Amino acid sequence: MKIRLGISFSTTNFQNYLRWFDPEVHAGKVELVELKANFSTLSDFESCDGFVLSGGCDIDTALYHGTPEYPHKPEEFETERDHFEASIYLHAKNHQKPLLGICRGMQLVQVVEGGKLIQDLGETANLIHKKAGNTDRKHQIQVSEGSLLAAISQKSTGEVNSAHHQAIDPKQLGENLFISAWSTDSQSPEALEYQNKENQAFMLCVQWHPERMEEKEQNPFSENIKQSFLASIIHSR
């Protein structure tokens, strides 16, 4: 029986998420479901076995009482998408369905759980993390010992990509969230998972983009995450 995997729609590089799961789709193991604000319904959520929250535009500052004006603020927020993806996350959490958050998806989970964001990393850290034109940055991460991410990757350090100018505020973490990886250069949070995992489904968020890494099939911070996520869906059904 195929896994039905719901992926939240992004106007930015959405095809990369579909291509990431292509091998499993062609093997008949996975069916991908595009979830989009104002089009998808509760029945679409209920039909999915797991969820991916994709990357994209900054989250509306009103959702976390952020400063209205800040460097690199987008011309427009996607507030409907914010609320829609919050409902995806809460559905997954309340129904114990596995969820993977990527970049913006990680920040959304932080906000829904009552945490805050660093609205702009500043000039120095942006040179490490903010996308340079159409090119992702690359940097090293340190994985927290004993974390879910450490168990998945079987690595304590590694290289990942990034394309963001915002970050999780480690001083104001959301409820029951734990930072499971840090950037070694900027000391920015790079991954989130639940602190107390009892009675919780798989939930991992990463600030990088595993779906578009170079040599992602060989990188444990892409391939291991994907395979562990899919295995968790199978085990949870």
Side-chain angles (χ1 to χ4, degrees), residues 138-156:
K138 294 181 182 179
H139 61 279
Q140 296 291 315
I141 60 167
Q142 177 75 44
V143 180
S144 300
E145 186 176 351
S147 64
L148 173 63
L149 180 60
I152 289 171
S153 66
Q154 294 294 296
K155 298 287 185 181
S156 59

Side-chain angles (χ1 to χ4, degrees), residues 103-216:
C103 197
R104 178 189 196 275
M106 171 168 156
Q107 295 170 4
L108 183 94
V109 169
Q110 160 80 340
V111 168
V112 173
E113 291 294 357
K116 305 295 184 182
L117 301 180
I118 296 172
Q119 292 181 264
D120 189 79
L121 287 167
E123 183 177 353
T124 301
N126 277 338
L127 290 175
I128 300 169
H129 296 288
K130 191 175 184 297
K131 196 171 184 177
N134 292 320
T135 305
D136 291 347
R137 304 281 188 178
K138 294 181 182 179
H139 61 279
Q140 296 291 315
I141 60 167
Q142 177 75 44
V143 180
S144 300
E145 186 176 351
S147 64
L148 173 63
L149 180 60
I152 289 171
S153 66
Q154 294 294 296
K155 298 287 185 181
S156 59
T157 61
E159 184 178 74
V160 298
N161 59 346
S162 62
H164 62 97
H165 73 104
Q166 297 191 318
I168 301 304
D169 187 342
K171 296 179 181 178
Q172 300 185 75
L173 273 182
E175 184 177 356
N176 195 33
L177 296 180
F178 166 70
I179 298 171
S180 52
W182 298 82
S183 164
T184 57
D185 292 317
S186 67
Q187 292 300 302
S188 296
E190 289 284 332
L192 281 181
E193 55 192 66
Y194 288 135
Q195 176 77 51
N196 181 0
K197 299 175 177 62
E198 187 176 358
N199 298 321
Q200 301 284 2
F202 177 107
M203 197 288 290
L204 178 66
C205 299
V206 296
Q207 190 61 70
W208 61 89
H209 282 273
E211 80 286 355
R212 66 177 191 234
M213 279 184 172
E214 293 180 5
E215 299 182 347
K216 56 184 176 291

Side-chain angles (χ1 to χ4, degrees), residues 8-21:
S8 66
F9 178 78
S10 172
T11 56
T12 307
N13 298 318
F14 184 68
Q15 290 299 316
N16 288 330
Y17 300 97
L18 305 183
R19 283 194 286 265
W20 193 33
F21 291 102

